mmCIF file of all heavy atoms in Angstrom:
data_model
loop_
_atom_site.group_PDB
_atom_site.id
_atom_site.type_symbol
_atom_site.label_atom_id
_atom_site.label_comp_id
_atom_site.label_asym_id
_atom_site.label_seq_id
_atom_site.Cartn_x
_atom_site.Cartn_y
_atom_site.Cartn_z
ATOM 1 N N ALA S 1324 -12.629 -33.723 -10.672
ATOM 2 C CA ALA S 1324 -12.952 -33.838 -9.243
ATOM 3 C C ALA S 1324 -14.380 -33.386 -8.969
ATOM 4 O O ALA S 1324 -15.087 -33.968 -8.142
ATOM 5 C CB ALA S 1324 -11.973 -33.013 -8.413
ATOM 6 N N TYR S 1325 -14.812 -32.356 -9.684
ATOM 7 C CA TYR S 1325 -16.181 -31.841 -9.518
ATOM 8 C C TYR S 1325 -17.204 -32.871 -9.994
ATOM 9 O O TYR S 1325 -18.209 -33.134 -9.324
ATOM 10 C CB TYR S 1325 -16.337 -30.540 -10.304
ATOM 11 C CG TYR S 1325 -17.757 -30.020 -10.399
ATOM 12 C CD1 TYR S 1325 -18.306 -29.240 -9.392
ATOM 13 C CD2 TYR S 1325 -18.549 -30.311 -11.513
ATOM 14 C CE1 TYR S 1325 -19.601 -28.757 -9.480
ATOM 15 C CE2 TYR S 1325 -19.847 -29.838 -11.615
ATOM 16 C CZ TYR S 1325 -20.373 -29.068 -10.598
ATOM 17 O OH TYR S 1325 -21.664 -28.591 -10.691
ATOM 18 N N LEU S 1326 -16.946 -33.466 -11.133
ATOM 19 C CA LEU S 1326 -17.868 -34.448 -11.708
ATOM 20 C C LEU S 1326 -17.965 -35.714 -10.858
ATOM 21 O O LEU S 1326 -18.941 -36.458 -10.960
ATOM 22 C CB LEU S 1326 -17.444 -34.797 -13.139
ATOM 23 C CG LEU S 1326 -17.511 -33.629 -14.142
ATOM 24 C CD1 LEU S 1326 -16.919 -34.039 -15.483
ATOM 25 C CD2 LEU S 1326 -18.951 -33.147 -14.319
ATOM 26 N N ALA S 1327 -16.971 -35.943 -10.020
ATOM 27 C CA ALA S 1327 -16.975 -37.118 -9.144
ATOM 28 C C ALA S 1327 -17.839 -36.902 -7.894
ATOM 29 O O ALA S 1327 -18.151 -37.845 -7.170
ATOM 30 C CB ALA S 1327 -15.550 -37.469 -8.727
ATOM 31 N N LEU S 1328 -18.256 -35.645 -7.668
ATOM 32 C CA LEU S 1328 -19.096 -35.341 -6.515
ATOM 33 C C LEU S 1328 -20.535 -35.766 -6.770
ATOM 34 O O LEU S 1328 -20.957 -35.912 -7.922
ATOM 35 C CB LEU S 1328 -19.055 -33.829 -6.226
ATOM 36 C CG LEU S 1328 -17.687 -33.233 -5.880
ATOM 37 C CD1 LEU S 1328 -17.787 -31.707 -5.817
ATOM 38 C CD2 LEU S 1328 -17.166 -33.789 -4.554
ATOM 39 N N ASP S 1329 -21.302 -35.915 -5.702
ATOM 40 C CA ASP S 1329 -22.707 -36.256 -5.902
ATOM 41 C C ASP S 1329 -23.475 -35.017 -6.338
ATOM 42 O O ASP S 1329 -22.985 -33.882 -6.264
ATOM 43 C CB ASP S 1329 -23.322 -36.884 -4.644
ATOM 44 C CG ASP S 1329 -23.322 -35.960 -3.438
ATOM 45 O OD1 ASP S 1329 -23.625 -34.756 -3.590
ATOM 46 O OD2 ASP S 1329 -23.039 -36.432 -2.323
ATOM 47 N N GLU S 1330 -24.690 -35.221 -6.797
ATOM 48 C CA GLU S 1330 -25.486 -34.147 -7.382
ATOM 49 C C GLU S 1330 -25.751 -33.012 -6.386
ATOM 50 O O GLU S 1330 -25.730 -31.827 -6.752
ATOM 51 C CB GLU S 1330 -26.821 -34.709 -7.876
ATOM 52 C CG GLU S 1330 -27.668 -33.697 -8.636
ATOM 53 C CD GLU S 1330 -28.931 -34.321 -9.202
ATOM 54 O OE1 GLU S 1330 -28.995 -35.566 -9.313
ATOM 55 O OE2 GLU S 1330 -29.853 -33.571 -9.534
ATOM 56 N N LYS S 1331 -25.958 -33.373 -5.136
ATOM 57 C CA LYS S 1331 -26.232 -32.368 -4.106
ATOM 58 C C LYS S 1331 -25.029 -31.441 -3.906
ATOM 59 O O LYS S 1331 -25.186 -30.218 -3.791
ATOM 60 C CB LYS S 1331 -26.579 -33.062 -2.789
ATOM 61 C CG LYS S 1331 -26.989 -32.118 -1.683
ATOM 62 C CD LYS S 1331 -27.377 -32.889 -0.430
ATOM 63 C CE LYS S 1331 -27.785 -31.945 0.703
ATOM 64 N NZ LYS S 1331 -28.164 -32.672 1.937
ATOM 65 N N GLU S 1332 -23.831 -32.019 -3.881
ATOM 66 C CA GLU S 1332 -22.626 -31.211 -3.710
ATOM 67 C C GLU S 1332 -22.382 -30.326 -4.927
ATOM 68 O O GLU S 1332 -21.992 -29.159 -4.794
ATOM 69 C CB GLU S 1332 -21.420 -32.121 -3.479
ATOM 70 C CG GLU S 1332 -21.410 -32.802 -2.115
ATOM 71 C CD GLU S 1332 -20.276 -33.789 -1.968
ATOM 72 O OE1 GLU S 1332 -20.143 -34.662 -2.857
ATOM 73 O OE2 GLU S 1332 -19.528 -33.701 -0.979
ATOM 74 N N GLN S 1333 -22.621 -30.861 -6.117
ATOM 75 C CA GLN S 1333 -22.445 -30.066 -7.327
ATOM 76 C C GLN S 1333 -23.393 -28.867 -7.349
ATOM 77 O O GLN S 1333 -23.002 -27.754 -7.721
ATOM 78 C CB GLN S 1333 -22.691 -30.940 -8.565
ATOM 79 C CG GLN S 1333 -21.612 -31.973 -8.819
ATOM 80 C CD GLN S 1333 -21.857 -32.771 -10.093
ATOM 81 O OE1 GLN S 1333 -22.761 -32.459 -10.874
ATOM 82 N NE2 GLN S 1333 -21.059 -33.806 -10.308
ATOM 83 N N LEU S 1334 -24.630 -29.095 -6.937
ATOM 84 C CA LEU S 1334 -25.614 -28.015 -6.893
ATOM 85 C C LEU S 1334 -25.193 -26.953 -5.888
ATOM 86 O O LEU S 1334 -25.299 -25.751 -6.158
ATOM 87 C CB LEU S 1334 -26.987 -28.577 -6.521
ATOM 88 C CG LEU S 1334 -28.121 -27.546 -6.377
ATOM 89 C CD1 LEU S 1334 -28.328 -26.788 -7.683
ATOM 90 C CD2 LEU S 1334 -29.414 -28.226 -5.937
ATOM 91 N N MET S 1335 -24.722 -27.384 -4.737
ATOM 92 C CA MET S 1335 -24.280 -26.453 -3.708
ATOM 93 C C MET S 1335 -23.134 -25.579 -4.220
ATOM 94 O O MET S 1335 -23.100 -24.368 -3.993
ATOM 95 C CB MET S 1335 -23.850 -27.231 -2.465
ATOM 96 C CG MET S 1335 -23.354 -26.367 -1.307
ATOM 97 S SD MET S 1335 -21.575 -26.068 -1.372
ATOM 98 C CE MET S 1335 -20.964 -27.735 -1.092
ATOM 99 N N ILE S 1336 -22.197 -26.192 -4.943
ATOM 100 C CA ILE S 1336 -21.072 -25.438 -5.481
ATOM 101 C C ILE S 1336 -21.547 -24.430 -6.515
ATOM 102 O O ILE S 1336 -21.071 -23.279 -6.550
ATOM 103 C CB ILE S 1336 -20.027 -26.394 -6.094
ATOM 104 C CG1 ILE S 1336 -19.360 -27.210 -4.974
ATOM 105 C CG2 ILE S 1336 -18.968 -25.624 -6.878
ATOM 106 C CD1 ILE S 1336 -18.451 -28.302 -5.472
ATOM 107 N N ARG S 1337 -22.496 -24.822 -7.339
ATOM 108 C CA ARG S 1337 -23.068 -23.896 -8.326
ATOM 109 C C ARG S 1337 -23.729 -22.701 -7.643
ATOM 110 O O ARG S 1337 -23.622 -21.560 -8.102
ATOM 111 C CB ARG S 1337 -24.108 -24.624 -9.182
ATOM 112 C CG ARG S 1337 -23.535 -25.616 -10.176
ATOM 113 C CD ARG S 1337 -22.882 -24.909 -11.348
ATOM 114 N NE ARG S 1337 -22.585 -25.819 -12.437
ATOM 115 C CZ ARG S 1337 -21.974 -25.474 -13.561
ATOM 116 N NH1 ARG S 1337 -21.581 -24.225 -13.725
ATOM 117 N NH2 ARG S 1337 -21.729 -26.359 -14.495
ATOM 118 N N GLU S 1338 -24.395 -22.961 -6.543
ATOM 119 C CA GLU S 1338 -25.093 -21.896 -5.816
ATOM 120 C C GLU S 1338 -24.109 -20.911 -5.195
ATOM 121 O O GLU S 1338 -24.301 -19.688 -5.266
ATOM 122 C CB GLU S 1338 -25.995 -22.498 -4.747
ATOM 123 C CG GLU S 1338 -27.221 -23.199 -5.318
ATOM 124 C CD GLU S 1338 -28.042 -23.911 -4.257
ATOM 125 O OE1 GLU S 1338 -27.539 -24.031 -3.113
ATOM 126 O OE2 GLU S 1338 -29.176 -24.326 -4.552
ATOM 127 N N VAL S 1339 -23.058 -21.433 -4.586
ATOM 128 C CA VAL S 1339 -22.088 -20.523 -3.966
ATOM 129 C C VAL S 1339 -21.248 -19.815 -5.028
ATOM 130 O O VAL S 1339 -20.732 -18.720 -4.797
ATOM 131 C CB VAL S 1339 -21.186 -21.245 -2.944
ATOM 132 C CG1 VAL S 1339 -21.975 -21.667 -1.731
ATOM 133 C CG2 VAL S 1339 -20.471 -22.425 -3.549
ATOM 134 N N GLU S 1340 -21.127 -20.435 -6.205
ATOM 135 C CA GLU S 1340 -20.444 -19.772 -7.323
ATOM 136 C C GLU S 1340 -21.208 -18.508 -7.702
ATOM 137 O O GLU S 1340 -20.614 -17.439 -7.918
ATOM 138 C CB GLU S 1340 -20.347 -20.705 -8.531
ATOM 139 C CG GLU S 1340 -19.711 -20.046 -9.755
ATOM 140 C CD GLU S 1340 -19.710 -20.948 -10.976
ATOM 141 O OE1 GLU S 1340 -20.520 -21.901 -11.030
ATOM 142 O OE2 GLU S 1340 -18.911 -20.692 -11.883
ATOM 143 N N GLU S 1341 -22.516 -18.612 -7.762
ATOM 144 C CA GLU S 1341 -23.352 -17.460 -8.094
ATOM 145 C C GLU S 1341 -23.266 -16.397 -6.997
ATOM 146 O O GLU S 1341 -23.206 -15.201 -7.273
ATOM 147 C CB GLU S 1341 -24.808 -17.908 -8.277
ATOM 148 C CG GLU S 1341 -25.738 -16.807 -8.774
ATOM 149 C CD GLU S 1341 -25.329 -16.226 -10.117
ATOM 150 O OE1 GLU S 1341 -24.784 -16.978 -10.948
ATOM 151 O OE2 GLU S 1341 -25.560 -15.010 -10.325
ATOM 152 N N LYS S 1342 -23.229 -16.839 -5.755
ATOM 153 C CA LYS S 1342 -23.117 -15.898 -4.632
ATOM 154 C C LYS S 1342 -21.778 -15.168 -4.656
ATOM 155 O O LYS S 1342 -21.678 -14.012 -4.231
ATOM 156 C CB LYS S 1342 -23.291 -16.638 -3.309
ATOM 157 C CG LYS S 1342 -24.719 -17.100 -3.052
ATOM 158 C CD LYS S 1342 -24.829 -17.842 -1.730
ATOM 159 C CE LYS S 1342 -26.259 -18.311 -1.484
ATOM 160 N NZ LYS S 1342 -26.384 -19.084 -0.222
ATOM 161 N N SER S 1343 -20.756 -15.830 -5.153
ATOM 162 C CA SER S 1343 -19.441 -15.209 -5.267
ATOM 163 C C SER S 1343 -19.490 -14.044 -6.256
ATOM 164 O O SER S 1343 -18.948 -12.962 -6.005
ATOM 165 C CB SER S 1343 -18.401 -16.243 -5.714
ATOM 166 O OG SER S 1343 -17.107 -15.678 -5.731
ATOM 167 N N LYS S 1344 -20.157 -14.250 -7.379
ATOM 168 C CA LYS S 1344 -20.310 -13.186 -8.376
ATOM 169 C C LYS S 1344 -21.153 -12.042 -7.819
ATOM 170 O O LYS S 1344 -20.864 -10.863 -8.056
ATOM 171 C CB LYS S 1344 -20.948 -13.749 -9.643
ATOM 172 C CG LYS S 1344 -20.091 -14.768 -10.372
ATOM 173 C CD LYS S 1344 -20.830 -15.378 -11.549
ATOM 174 C CE LYS S 1344 -19.994 -16.436 -12.249
ATOM 175 N NZ LYS S 1344 -20.739 -17.084 -13.367
ATOM 176 N N GLU S 1345 -22.192 -12.400 -7.083
ATOM 177 C CA GLU S 1345 -23.051 -11.382 -6.480
ATOM 178 C C GLU S 1345 -22.278 -10.542 -5.471
ATOM 179 O O GLU S 1345 -22.493 -9.329 -5.365
ATOM 180 C CB GLU S 1345 -24.246 -12.054 -5.792
ATOM 181 C CG GLU S 1345 -25.248 -12.674 -6.759
ATOM 182 C CD GLU S 1345 -26.318 -13.493 -6.043
ATOM 183 O OE1 GLU S 1345 -26.269 -13.575 -4.787
ATOM 184 O OE2 GLU S 1345 -27.201 -14.041 -6.723
ATOM 185 N N PHE S 1346 -21.382 -11.186 -4.740
ATOM 186 C CA PHE S 1346 -20.587 -10.472 -3.753
ATOM 187 C C PHE S 1346 -19.672 -9.447 -4.421
ATOM 188 O O PHE S 1346 -19.514 -8.321 -3.920
ATOM 189 C CB PHE S 1346 -19.748 -11.451 -2.930
ATOM 190 C CG PHE S 1346 -18.820 -10.791 -1.957
ATOM 191 C CD1 PHE S 1346 -19.307 -10.223 -0.794
ATOM 192 C CD2 PHE S 1346 -17.453 -10.726 -2.209
ATOM 193 C CE1 PHE S 1346 -18.441 -9.594 0.114
ATOM 194 C CE2 PHE S 1346 -16.591 -10.112 -1.314
ATOM 195 C CZ PHE S 1346 -17.090 -9.542 -0.157
ATOM 196 N N THR S 1347 -19.079 -9.815 -5.535
ATOM 197 C CA THR S 1347 -18.221 -8.877 -6.262
ATOM 198 C C THR S 1347 -19.022 -7.661 -6.701
ATOM 199 O O THR S 1347 -18.588 -6.518 -6.513
ATOM 200 C CB THR S 1347 -17.576 -9.558 -7.483
ATOM 201 O OG1 THR S 1347 -16.668 -10.573 -7.033
ATOM 202 C CG2 THR S 1347 -16.805 -8.558 -8.331
#
Side-chain angles (χ1 to χ4, degrees):
Y1325 171 85
L1326 296 173
L1328 299 172
D1329 62 42
E1330 186 176 342
K1331 185 177 180 180
E1332 289 175 308
Q1333 289 183 8
L1334 178 60
M1335 180 270 294
I1336 292 172
R1337 288 286 192 182
E1338 288 174 349
V1339 291
E1340 177 184 21
E1341 186 60 33
K1342 289 179 180 178
S1343 184
K1344 295 175 182 177
E1345 290 172 0
F1346 176 74
T1347 294

